[in-house]
Amino acid sequence: MWRWAWRRKWRLLALLVVLPVCGWLIWTAVLRAEFESRVQALRDAGHPADLADLMEKPVLDENNAAVLYAKAAPMIGEFPCGLESKRYGDELYPGELEEAARWLESKSGVVALLHEAAARPSCVLDIDWTKGIDAEIEFGSWSHDFSFLLEEYAEKKAQEGEVQEATRCVETIFRIANHTPPACTSLFWQRVGRNVTAMQVLRKISTADAFDPAAARTRFDPYIALALDREPLTTALRCDLALSLSLSRAWIRGGSPIPFLERMSFDNVLNETPDEVRSSRKVMGWFASTWVMRPFAIRDGIYLIEDFEYITELLATEDLSDLESRARVKRGLPYVFASVATPNVVTFGAWLRDVRAHVAITRAGLDALISRKNTGHFPADLTGSPLDPFTDKLLRYERHEDGTARIEAAVPIEEWQDREEHEIAWELK
């Protein structure tokens, strides 16, 4: 009798172990099938789903701007201290102004090289995507230095009366923006920043006597329109998705979920010796790579695809208000990539709204300058000009008694924020 009871106890215990394991395996298989189906749907729609899909087709060196950009980057060297301070809004002293002027004049060859590079039809960078998240993309830092050099050079030339060269510098900044590869969302922000810089420089050189607003409007309107193009953001999201999915697949196959997981520091954990710290890392790495975590890795990949599909669908519309509600979806651990690698979607809406405001200010300002050139004074209002994206009404507009005017977007600025840094406006003179 006791043997029968003992066998029954072990059978029950085995059943309690086998059933959850079988259920777990079935759940994993179902999720895996859904994941592969979604990945295939991405491929069928023409979206990259792996690092191999991100490799660009090579172009001839004589058509590739990246060749000349790589040559120009080390030629810039270090900016003078005065110009470095000017980046952060500081004014230059007389001695610093003279030093900056001499330095800028010495970089005329670099500026000419940038003009030549920007005129090329393609810009294909040699990005080694096989490195995964560690792929080095230097163009972001290059374009920042390029645009700052061209900005200062354009201002100098405008002050010297060489408006044609100053205008050419603005066009080159626009072209560098369009050459910036949307290989990830961080590079997309670089692209946006260069377009905004170009519009800001255009406003600065408009005070030159020989500046022709009508010619500038004709020349730069196509570039300004490209600044509103959302396709680069969609491409950047596609690249981020492919990169994240490649890491998710490594996790699904039993690898570490993210390269830095095994390197993460536990040194600040109290009462742990170095041996215990190393042991903790091994335990976490093992736990993350076991089949126990596999369903979460698969679900993480599904969440990534869902976010991508939702955001790209929303970007095709003009209403971006739902982005904020999407950002409030907090999944947390163990969904590593859906919580960390998926970009903050609220930022998309904010940046796109800022760009629209810069475009509206630039177009309205050029129209006002054209009106003054034709009639001798600025228009009474901005009727017919682009609307303020923050209010969907006409931009704020004031005409002053001294013959100047001001156009401003209704950017919400907090009390603690520097107004000049965050406002989007144009002082027309």
Side-chain angles (χ1 to χ4, degrees), residues 264-284:
M264 64 188 301
S265 174
F266 292 88
D267 298 337
N268 60 344
V269 179
L270 296 176
N271 303 321
E272 280 199 359
T273 65
D275 290 338
E276 290 172 335
V277 170
R278 284 192 290 269
S279 177
S280 298
R281 291 174 181 169
K282 289 180 180 179
V283 169
M284 286 199 65

Side-chain angles (χ1 to χ4, degrees), residues 277-296:
V277 170
R278 284 192 290 269
S279 177
S280 298
R281 291 174 181 169
K282 289 180 180 179
V283 169
M284 286 199 65
W286 172 85
F287 179 73
S289 63
T290 59
W291 65 270
V292 177
M293 293 296 291
R294 204 147 300 165
F296 298 104

Side-chain angles (χ1 to χ4, degrees), residues 291-310:
W291 65 270
V292 177
M293 293 296 291
R294 204 147 300 165
F296 298 104
I298 300 170
R299 172 58 69 183
D300 193 33
I302 294 173
Y303 282 151
L304 275 170
I305 296 173
E306 288 178 352
D307 285 344
F308 168 77
E309 291 173 343
Y310 176 84

Side-chain angles (χ1 to χ4, degrees), residues 128-137 243 247 259-260 263:
D128 186 4
W129 286 110
T130 60
K131 295 180 180 178
I133 202 170
D134 294 324
E136 295 182 4
I137 304 174
L243 179 60
L247 298 176
F260 54 82
R263 302 195 300 268

Side-chain angles (χ1 to χ4, degrees), residues 1-14:
M1 183 69 180
W2 65 272
R3 290 181 178 177
W4 179 84
W6 181 257
R7 290 175 181 172
R8 183 178 180 183
K9 179 180 179 181
W10 275 107
R11 288 173 182 170
L12 181 60
L13 183 61

